[in-house]
Amino acid sequence: MNKTLFILFIFISNLGLAQNLVPNPSFEVYDTCPSGISQAFDYQIEHALGWYAPTWATSDYFNSCSPLVGGANVPNTAFGYQFAFDGQGFLGMILLIQDGETSYFEYVQAKLNSPLIKGYTYKFSFNVNLMNGSDYAVEKIGAWFTINAASSNNGQPLFSVNPQIENTTGFITDTLNWKTIEGKFIANGGEEYLTIGYYSDTLNPDTLRHNLVADPMVIYSYNNIDGLELEEVAPAIVIPNIITPNGDGTNDLFQLNFPVLKTEVYNRWGQKLFESNNDAFWDGRTTSGSEVPEGTYYYIIVTKEKTYKGYLQLLRAEYINNNK
């Protein structure tokens, strides 16, 4: 099998893993081997298909296919000796450099295989370690999911943001083993870009002295990432079978805990009383706003995956008050 077909095979195989929405998650797929460390206007990270630097800061791509000369070889990188977490490649970036009032940050970014769905829960994990030559370790490396691509034309922090996933397990100090960072979040809907980098207070960064250096005033932390995974987490489906819309704030609504494309409610004679083309709740009224009487009603709930059908009992305030 020639190299082009081999790369295409791997790329298609990765896309076939529908549960992982991250493209080229272990950085095994490339157009050409990285020839060295990224420089201005020569972003080697772009050889890892689907990945790039969202700022002019020069994030790096390492792979065992790279020659020993140049500094991008795995495990013989320009910054230290390091094997990949998974496969033969990984990305590297300077999470931060601070020298007095001067600071510099690097990020890596990719467009997801498909946009995230509103209300769905996702689990994201990635693996990190500290490159040997780093003077300092940091903690607040995180993953930020956005609708639009984040970018800037300098090496400063992208924005003052709160990433959906952030390391809270302590400083990344291991230069041999990889540390897994993971977490879950609920999508607002439409998030299509993933950006990984440093998301702490840049005026007062969280740092831990790792090596003794000649100039202790310079903060320098270089970190590697590999083995990324983003998957949809199936919610626990809960469909109420009784509601009591009496205004007491308890069980007043027929409300679902999962994303819905359409909800319909019918009476015993098959007349449609309520319809919503989203995940809106039903409060015991018709679509025109009239209260429906007590009784048993039939629902049809349509989601992306399947259609649910069943019965729902509605009890009004008079019944509840008389039976306390």
Side-chain angles (χ1 to χ4, degrees):
M1 182 181 293
N2 64 44
K3 178 179 177 181
T4 301
L5 291 178
F6 177 67
I7 291 174
L8 180 62
F9 172 76
I10 297 177
F11 186 63
I12 293 175
S13 298
N14 281 334
L15 290 179
L17 299 175
Q19 73 275 15
N20 192 353
L21 298 179
V22 178
N24 198 8
S26 293
F27 318 111
E28 300 303 295
V29 186
Y30 51 86
D31 53 10
T32 60
C33 290
S35 59
I37 302 305
S38 291
Q39 307 291 334
F41 307 109
D42 182 20
Y43 297 93
Q44 295 292 309
I45 184 178
E46 295 177 357
H47 292 305
L49 295 187
W51 289 88
Y52 54 91
T55 72
W56 64 249
T58 53
S59 305
D60 298 305
Y61 176 41
F62 305 98
N63 196 293
S64 62
C65 68
S66 180
L68 291 176
V69 178
N73 177 265
V74 173
N76 304 286
T77 82
F79 303 107
Y81 194 82
Q82 181 61 58
F83 285 100
F85 170 80
D86 180 26
Q88 305 300 319
F90 60 88
L91 299 187
M93 55 185 163
I94 300 172
L95 286 187
L96 81 159
I97 291 179
Q98 286 195 327
D99 183 1
E101 297 182 357
T102 302
S103 59
Y104 171 87
F105 302 80
E106 292 184 346
Y107 298 85
V108 297
Q109 188 175 91
K111 185 176 182 180
L112 302 176
N113 291 331
S114 63
L116 305 188
I117 302 173
K118 178 182 178 182
Y120 277 50
T121 299
Y122 293 87
K123 179 181 178 181
F124 179 68
S125 64
F126 63 112
N127 298 276
V128 185
N129 73 3
L130 183 68
M131 193 62 96
N132 303 68
S134 296
D135 304 321
Y136 283 79
V138 298
E139 179 179 13
K140 301 300 183 182
I141 182 174
W144 185 31
F145 296 88
T146 55
I147 294 176
N148 300 311
S151 63
S152 75
N153 58 1
N154 56 49
Q156 296 306 299
L158 285 173
F159 299 101
S160 178
V161 299
N162 293 314
Q164 290 88 339
I165 305 298
E166 189 173 48
N167 175 43
T168 58
T169 61
F171 290 97
I172 308 296
T173 59
D174 201 326
T175 59
L176 175 63
N177 302 298
W178 293 82
K179 181 175 184 178
T180 301
I181 299 170
E182 61 184 3
K184 297 178 181 179
F185 66 98
I186 299 175
N188 291 324
E191 294 94 335
E192 201 169 6
Y193 292 88
L194 162 63
T195 308
I196 296 178
Y198 183 70
Y199 294 107
S200 185
D201 179 4
T202 56
L203 296 178
N204 185 28
D206 64 312
T207 58
L208 176 69
R209 186 71 172 276
H210 178 70
N211 289 324
L212 295 178
V213 292
D215 187 353
M217 299 303 295
V218 177
I219 297 174
Y220 170 76
S221 184
Y222 193 106
N223 288 247
N224 306 310
I225 66 166
D226 197 5
L228 287 65
E229 185 171 13
L230 174 65
E231 59 182 358
E232 178 186 318
V233 179
I237 301 298
V238 178
I239 302 177
N241 58 12
I242 184 172
I243 62 171
T244 58
N246 56 9
D248 66 356
T250 302
N251 204 36
D252 284 334
L253 305 173
F254 182 61
Q255 193 163 21
L256 305 171
N257 71 332
F258 53 94
V260 173
L261 299 179
K262 182 170 66 173
T263 301
E264 298 175 341
V265 178
Y266 296 83
N267 63 18
R268 59 190 298 183
W269 296 282
Q271 297 172 317
K272 185 188 296 184
L273 304 177
F274 174 81
E275 179 178 4
S276 172
N277 291 322
N278 51 45
D279 53 2
F281 56 81
W282 183 49
D283 61 358
R285 297 175 182 270
T286 64
T287 302
S288 62
S290 301
E291 288 188 351
V292 304
E294 295 179 356
T296 301
Y297 296 87
Y298 182 74
Y299 63 77
I300 299 177
I301 301 168
V302 180
T303 71
K304 185 181 71 170
E305 294 82 12
K306 63 181 297 184
T307 297
Y308 299 89
K309 300 178 180 179
Y311 292 94
L312 166 71
Q313 186 176 12
L314 184 147
L315 302 176
R316 287 290 177 192
E318 292 80 5
Y319 180 91
I320 301 299
N321 291 334
N322 291 336
N323 288 273
K324 287 184 177 179

Short mmCIF file of all heavy atoms in Angstrom, two decimals, residues 94-133:
data_model
loop_
_atom_site.label_atom_id
_atom_site.label_comp_id
_atom_site.label_asym_id
_atom_site.label_seq_id
_atom_site.Cartn_x
_atom_site.Cartn_y
_atom_site.Cartn_z
N ILE A 94 4.03 26.08 23.79
CA ILE A 94 4.42 26.87 24.96
C ILE A 94 3.14 27.40 25.59
O ILE A 94 2.48 28.28 25.01
CB ILE A 94 5.34 28.04 24.57
CG1 ILE A 94 6.62 27.50 23.92
CG2 ILE A 94 5.67 28.89 25.78
CD1 ILE A 94 7.49 28.60 23.33
N LEU A 95 2.75 26.83 26.71
CA LEU A 95 1.52 27.32 27.35
C LEU A 95 1.69 28.77 27.77
O LEU A 95 0.77 29.57 27.64
CB LEU A 95 1.14 26.46 28.55
CG LEU A 95 0.55 25.08 28.22
CD1 LEU A 95 0.07 24.40 29.49
CD2 LEU A 95 -0.57 25.17 27.20
N LEU A 96 2.86 29.11 28.29
CA LEU A 96 3.14 30.52 28.57
C LEU A 96 4.63 30.75 28.77
O LEU A 96 5.36 29.87 29.22
CB LEU A 96 2.37 31.01 29.80
CG LEU A 96 2.95 30.70 31.19
CD1 LEU A 96 2.39 31.67 32.20
CD2 LEU A 96 2.65 29.28 31.60
N ILE A 97 5.04 31.95 28.38
CA ILE A 97 6.34 32.52 28.73
C ILE A 97 6.07 33.90 29.29
O ILE A 97 5.33 34.69 28.69
CB ILE A 97 7.28 32.65 27.52
CG1 ILE A 97 7.73 31.28 27.01
CG2 ILE A 97 8.52 33.46 27.89
CD1 ILE A 97 8.63 31.37 25.81
N GLN A 98 6.63 34.17 30.44
CA GLN A 98 6.54 35.52 31.00
C GLN A 98 7.92 35.97 31.45
O GLN A 98 8.59 35.28 32.22
CB GLN A 98 5.55 35.58 32.16
CG GLN A 98 4.10 35.52 31.71
CD GLN A 98 3.13 35.94 32.80
OE1 GLN A 98 3.37 35.72 33.97
NE2 GLN A 98 2.02 36.54 32.41
N ASP A 99 8.31 37.11 30.93
CA ASP A 99 9.59 37.72 31.29
C ASP A 99 9.31 39.16 31.66
O ASP A 99 9.25 40.04 30.81
CB ASP A 99 10.56 37.63 30.11
CG ASP A 99 11.94 38.19 30.45
OD1 ASP A 99 12.14 38.61 31.60
OD2 ASP A 99 12.80 38.22 29.55
N GLY A 100 9.11 39.37 32.94
CA GLY A 100 8.71 40.70 33.39
C GLY A 100 7.31 41.03 32.89
O GLY A 100 6.36 40.30 33.15
N GLU A 101 7.17 42.09 32.13
CA GLU A 101 5.87 42.49 31.60
C GLU A 101 5.58 41.88 30.24
O GLU A 101 4.50 42.09 29.68
CB GLU A 101 5.81 44.02 31.50
CG GLU A 101 5.91 44.73 32.85
CD GLU A 101 5.80 46.23 32.72
OE1 GLU A 101 5.71 46.71 31.58
OE2 GLU A 101 5.81 46.91 33.76
N THR A 102 6.53 41.14 29.69
CA THR A 102 6.35 40.52 28.38
C THR A 102 5.83 39.10 28.56
O THR A 102 6.35 38.32 29.36
CB THR A 102 7.68 40.48 27.61
OG1 THR A 102 8.19 41.80 27.47
CG2 THR A 102 7.48 39.86 26.25
N SER A 103 4.78 38.75 27.80
CA SER A 103 4.21 37.41 27.90
C SER A 103 3.89 36.88 26.50
O SER A 103 3.74 37.64 25.54
CB SER A 103 2.94 37.42 28.75
OG SER A 103 1.97 38.30 28.21
N TYR A 104 3.76 35.55 26.41
CA TYR A 104 3.56 34.88 25.12
C TYR A 104 2.85 33.56 25.38
O TYR A 104 3.18 32.84 26.33
CB TYR A 104 4.93 34.67 24.47
CG TYR A 104 4.93 33.80 23.22
CD1 TYR A 104 4.70 34.35 21.97
CD2 TYR A 104 5.22 32.43 23.31
CE1 TYR A 104 4.74 33.55 20.82
CE2 TYR A 104 5.26 31.64 22.17
CZ TYR A 104 5.01 32.21 20.94
OH TYR A 104 5.06 31.42 19.81
N PHE A 105 1.85 33.25 24.55
CA PHE A 105 1.05 32.05 24.74
C PHE A 105 0.84 31.36 23.40
O PHE A 105 0.71 32.02 22.36
CB PHE A 105 -0.32 32.40 25.33
CG PHE A 105 -0.25 33.13 26.64
CD1 PHE A 105 0.00 34.51 26.67
CD2 PHE A 105 -0.45 32.48 27.83
CE1 PHE A 105 0.07 35.19 27.87
CE2 PHE A 105 -0.39 33.14 29.04
CZ PHE A 105 -0.12 34.51 29.06
N GLU A 106 0.78 30.02 23.41
CA GLU A 106 0.49 29.26 22.20
C GLU A 106 -0.75 28.41 22.40
O GLU A 106 -1.05 27.97 23.53
CB GLU A 106 1.68 28.37 21.81
CG GLU A 106 2.89 29.18 21.37
CD GLU A 106 4.04 28.32 20.90
OE1 GLU A 106 4.04 27.09 21.16
OE2 GLU A 106 4.96 28.88 20.28
N TYR A 107 -1.48 28.17 21.31
CA TYR A 107 -2.70 27.37 21.32
C TYR A 107 -2.69 26.42 20.13
O TYR A 107 -1.96 26.63 19.16
CB TYR A 107 -3.94 28.27 21.23
CG TYR A 107 -4.10 29.23 22.37
CD1 TYR A 107 -3.45 30.47 22.36
CD2 TYR A 107 -4.90 28.92 23.46
CE1 TYR A 107 -3.60 31.36 23.40
CE2 TYR A 107 -5.06 29.81 24.51
CZ TYR A 107 -4.41 31.03 24.48
OH TYR A 107 -4.55 31.91 25.51
N VAL A 108 -3.54 25.40 20.18
CA VAL A 108 -3.80 24.54 19.03
C VAL A 108 -5.30 24.47 18.83
O VAL A 108 -6.07 24.52 19.80
CB VAL A 108 -3.20 23.13 19.22
CG1 VAL A 108 -1.69 23.20 19.33
CG2 VAL A 108 -3.80 22.44 20.44
N GLN A 109 -5.72 24.35 17.56
CA GLN A 109 -7.15 24.41 17.26
C GLN A 109 -7.50 23.45 16.13
O GLN A 109 -6.68 23.15 15.26
CB GLN A 109 -7.54 25.85 16.87
CG GLN A 109 -9.03 26.08 16.71
CD GLN A 109 -9.34 27.55 16.46
OE1 GLN A 109 -9.40 27.99 15.32
NE2 GLN A 109 -9.50 28.32 17.53
N ALA A 110 -8.75 22.97 16.14
CA ALA A 110 -9.27 22.11 15.08
C ALA A 110 -10.77 22.31 14.96
O ALA A 110 -11.45 22.71 15.92
CB ALA A 110 -8.97 20.64 15.37
N LYS A 111 -11.28 22.05 13.77
CA LYS A 111 -12.73 22.06 13.54
C LYS A 111 -13.25 20.65 13.77
O LYS A 111 -12.72 19.67 13.22
CB LYS A 111 -13.04 22.51 12.11
CG LYS A 111 -14.53 22.66 11.84
CD LYS A 111 -14.78 23.21 10.44
CE LYS A 111 -16.27 23.39 10.19
NZ LYS A 111 -16.53 23.93 8.82
N LEU A 112 -14.29 20.51 14.58
CA LEU A 112 -14.83 19.20 14.91
C LEU A 112 -15.45 18.53 13.69
O LEU A 112 -15.80 19.18 12.70
CB LEU A 112 -15.88 19.34 16.02
CG LEU A 112 -15.41 19.98 17.33
CD1 LEU A 112 -16.57 20.13 18.30
CD2 LEU A 112 -14.29 19.16 17.97
N ASN A 113 -15.61 17.23 13.78
CA ASN A 113 -16.20 16.48 12.67
C ASN A 113 -17.66 16.85 12.44
O ASN A 113 -18.17 16.71 11.32
CB ASN A 113 -16.10 14.97 12.94
CG ASN A 113 -14.67 14.47 12.86
OD1 ASN A 113 -13.85 15.03 12.14
ND2 ASN A 113 -14.35 13.43 13.62
N SER A 114 -18.35 17.33 13.47
CA SER A 114 -19.72 17.82 13.33
C SER A 114 -20.03 18.75 14.50
O SER A 114 -19.42 18.62 15.58
CB SER A 114 -20.72 16.66 13.30
OG SER A 114 -20.70 15.93 14.52
N PRO A 115 -20.94 19.71 14.32
CA PRO A 115 -21.28 20.65 15.40
C PRO A 115 -21.94 19.92 16.57
O PRO A 115 -22.58 18.88 16.41
CB PRO A 115 -22.26 21.62 14.73
CG PRO A 115 -22.07 21.44 13.26
CD PRO A 115 -21.66 20.01 13.07
N LEU A 116 -21.78 20.49 17.76
CA LEU A 116 -22.41 19.93 18.95
C LEU A 116 -23.89 20.30 18.97
O LEU A 116 -24.30 21.32 18.43
CB LEU A 116 -21.71 20.43 20.21
CG LEU A 116 -20.19 20.18 20.27
CD1 LEU A 116 -19.65 20.55 21.64
CD2 LEU A 116 -19.85 18.74 19.91
N ILE A 117 -24.69 19.47 19.62
CA ILE A 117 -26.14 19.63 19.62
C ILE A 117 -26.59 20.24 20.95
O ILE A 117 -26.16 19.81 22.02
CB ILE A 117 -26.84 18.28 19.40
CG1 ILE A 117 -26.37 17.67 18.08
CG2 ILE A 117 -28.35 18.43 19.40
CD1 ILE A 117 -26.86 16.26 17.85
N LYS A 118 -27.45 21.23 20.87
CA LYS A 118 -27.95 21.92 22.05
C LYS A 118 -28.57 20.94 23.04
O LYS A 118 -29.38 20.10 22.68
CB LYS A 118 -28.99 22.96 21.65
CG LYS A 118 -29.61 23.71 22.83
CD LYS A 118 -30.67 24.70 22.36
CE LYS A 118 -31.31 25.41 23.54
NZ LYS A 118 -32.38 26.34 23.10
N GLY A 119 -28.16 21.07 24.31
CA GLY A 119 -28.72 20.25 25.36
C GLY A 119 -28.08 18.89 25.53
O GLY A 119 -28.34 18.21 26.52
N TYR A 120 -27.25 18.48 24.59
CA TYR A 120 -26.61 17.18 24.70
C TYR A 120 -25.39 17.29 25.62
O TYR A 120 -24.71 18.32 25.67
CB TYR A 120 -26.16 16.68 23.33
CG TYR A 120 -27.25 15.99 22.54
CD1 TYR A 120 -28.50 16.59 22.37
CD2 TYR A 120 -27.05 14.75 21.95
CE1 TYR A 120 -29.50 15.98 21.64
CE2 TYR A 120 -28.05 14.13 21.22
CZ TYR A 120 -29.27 14.75 21.07
OH TYR A 120 -30.25 14.13 20.34
N THR A 121 -25.13 16.21 26.32
CA THR A 121 -23.96 16.14 27.19
C THR A 121 -22.81 15.46 26.45
O THR A 121 -23.01 14.44 25.79
CB THR A 121 -24.27 15.36 28.47
OG1 THR A 121 -25.32 16.02 29.20
CG2 THR A 121 -23.05 15.25 29.38
N TYR A 122 -21.63 16.05 26.57
CA TYR A 122 -20.45 15.51 25.89
C TYR A 122 -19.34 15.28 26.92
O TYR A 122 -19.21 16.02 27.90
CB TYR A 122 -19.95 16.47 24.82
CG TYR A 122 -20.92 16.62 23.66
CD1 TYR A 122 -21.94 17.55 23.71
CD2 TYR A 122 -20.81 15.82 22.52
CE1 TYR A 122 -22.84 17.68 22.66
CE2 TYR A 122 -21.69 15.94 21.47
CZ TYR A 122 -22.71 16.88 21.55
OH TYR A 122 -23.59 17.01 20.50
N LYS A 123 -18.56 14.25 26.66
CA LYS A 123 -17.38 13.96 27.48
C LYS A 123 -16.15 14.18 26.63
O LYS A 123 -16.05 13.67 25.51
CB LYS A 123 -17.41 12.52 27.98
CG LYS A 123 -16.19 12.14 28.82
CD LYS A 123 -16.25 10.69 29.27
CE LYS A 123 -15.01 10.31 30.07
NZ LYS A 123 -15.04 8.89 30.48
N PHE A 124 -15.21 14.95 27.17
CA PHE A 124 -13.96 15.23 26.45
C PHE A 124 -12.78 14.85 27.31
O PHE A 124 -12.76 15.09 28.52
CB PHE A 124 -13.87 16.70 26.08
CG PHE A 124 -12.60 17.05 25.35
CD1 PHE A 124 -12.36 16.57 24.08
CD2 PHE A 124 -11.63 17.85 25.95
CE1 PHE A 124 -11.18 16.87 23.40
CE2 PHE A 124 -10.45 18.17 25.28
CZ PHE A 124 -10.23 17.67 24.01
N SER A 125 -11.78 14.24 26.70
CA SER A 125 -10.55 13.89 27.40
C SER A 125 -9.36 14.13 26.49
O SER A 125 -9.45 14.00 25.26
CB SER A 125 -10.59 12.43 27.87
OG SER A 125 -10.63 11.55 26.76
N PHE A 126 -8.25 14.50 27.10
CA PHE A 126 -6.99 14.62 26.38
C PHE A 126 -5.84 14.36 27.34
O PHE A 126 -6.01 14.42 28.56
CB PHE A 126 -6.86 15.97 25.68
CG PHE A 126 -6.83 17.18 26.59
CD1 PHE A 126 -5.67 17.93 26.73
CD2 PHE A 126 -7.96 17.59 27.27
CE1 PHE A 126 -5.65 19.06 27.54
CE2 PHE A 126 -7.96 18.71 28.07
CZ PHE A 126 -6.78 19.45 28.22
N ASN A 127 -4.69 14.04 26.79
CA ASN A 127 -3.54 13.65 27.60
C ASN A 127 -2.43 14.68 27.47
O ASN A 127 -2.16 15.18 26.38
CB ASN A 127 -3.05 12.27 27.16
CG ASN A 127 -4.11 11.21 27.37
OD1 ASN A 127 -4.26 10.68 28.46
ND2 ASN A 127 -4.88 10.92 26.32
N VAL A 128 -1.81 14.99 28.59
CA VAL A 128 -0.84 16.08 28.68
C VAL A 128 0.39 15.63 29.44
O VAL A 128 0.30 14.81 30.37
CB VAL A 128 -1.45 17.30 29.40
CG1 VAL A 128 -0.49 18.48 29.39
CG2 VAL A 128 -2.78 17.69 28.79
N ASN A 129 1.55 16.14 29.06
CA ASN A 129 2.72 16.05 29.94
C ASN A 129 3.60 17.27 29.74
O ASN A 129 3.39 18.08 28.83
CB ASN A 129 3.48 14.73 29.77
CG ASN A 129 4.26 14.66 28.48
OD1 ASN A 129 4.31 15.59 27.70
ND2 ASN A 129 4.89 13.51 28.25
N LEU A 130 4.55 17.41 30.63
CA LEU A 130 5.45 18.56 30.63
C LEU A 130 6.74 18.20 29.90
O LEU A 130 7.35 17.17 30.19
CB LEU A 130 5.75 18.97 32.07
CG LEU A 130 6.63 20.21 32.28
CD1 LEU A 130 5.88 21.47 31.84
CD2 LEU A 130 7.03 20.32 33.76
N MET A 131 7.13 19.02 28.96
CA MET A 131 8.38 18.76 28.23
C MET A 131 9.57 18.97 29.15
O MET A 131 9.57 19.86 30.01
CB MET A 131 8.48 19.65 27.00
CG MET A 131 9.58 19.24 26.03
SD MET A 131 9.35 17.58 25.32
CE MET A 131 8.56 17.98 23.76
N ASN A 132 10.60 18.16 28.97
CA ASN A 132 11.74 18.13 29.89
C ASN A 132 12.37 19.48 30.15
O ASN A 132 12.75 19.79 31.29
CB ASN A 132 12.82 17.19 29.34
CG ASN A 132 12.31 15.79 29.10
OD1 ASN A 132 11.48 15.58 28.22
ND2 ASN A 132 12.79 14.83 29.86
N GLY A 133 12.50 20.31 29.15
CA GLY A 133 13.23 21.56 29.32
C GLY A 133 12.45 22.67 29.97
O GLY A 133 12.97 23.79 30.08
#
